């Protein structure tokens, strides 16, 4: 799963730590999601999109799916 969290954070002048605080996770979790090492739960994905003020599909994209 690809994401645009880093880009959207920059548009909102927000650090990883600030986003993490707003969605109640660690900065390390945000970093892991941004780098593709961790796929967030649906609820966390919606929280991130809400805080970044974009739709969930603007932040998260499924790529190379076989379905």
């Amino acid at each position: 799963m690809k994401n645009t969290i880093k880009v959207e954070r920059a548009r909102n002048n927000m650090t990883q730590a600030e986003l993490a605080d707003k969605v109640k996770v660690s900065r390390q979790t945000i970093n892991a999601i941004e780098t593709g090492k961790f796929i967030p739960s649906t609820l966390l994905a919606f929280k991130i999109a809400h805080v970044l003020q974009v739709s969930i599909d603007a932040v998260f994209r499924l790529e190379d799916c076989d379905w």
Side-chain angles (χ1 to χ4, degrees):
M1 179 183 300
K2 301 287 183 174
N3 70 74
T4 60
I5 295 173
K6 187 173 183 176
V7 172
E8 296 301 334
R9 278 192 309 99
R11 287 186 187 162
N12 286 278
N13 296 314
M14 192 179 295
T15 65
Q16 286 182 342
E18 291 168 333
L19 177 58
D21 185 55
K22 289 178 187 277
V23 298
K24 309 281 192 260
V25 297
S26 69
R27 184 204 57 78
Q28 291 85 351
T29 297
I30 298 299
N31 181 266
I33 296 168
E34 284 186 5
T35 58
K37 295 177 183 171
F38 178 74
I39 297 174
S41 68
T42 304
L43 180 58
L44 180 54
F46 273 102
K47 286 180 180 180
I48 291 169
H50 177 75
V51 168
L52 295 174
Q53 301 176 343
V54 293
S55 65
I56 194 166
D57 59 330
V59 180
F60 297 97
R61 290 187 170 74
L62 293 176
E63 293 193 2
D64 300 325
C65 293
D66 293 333
W67 44 282

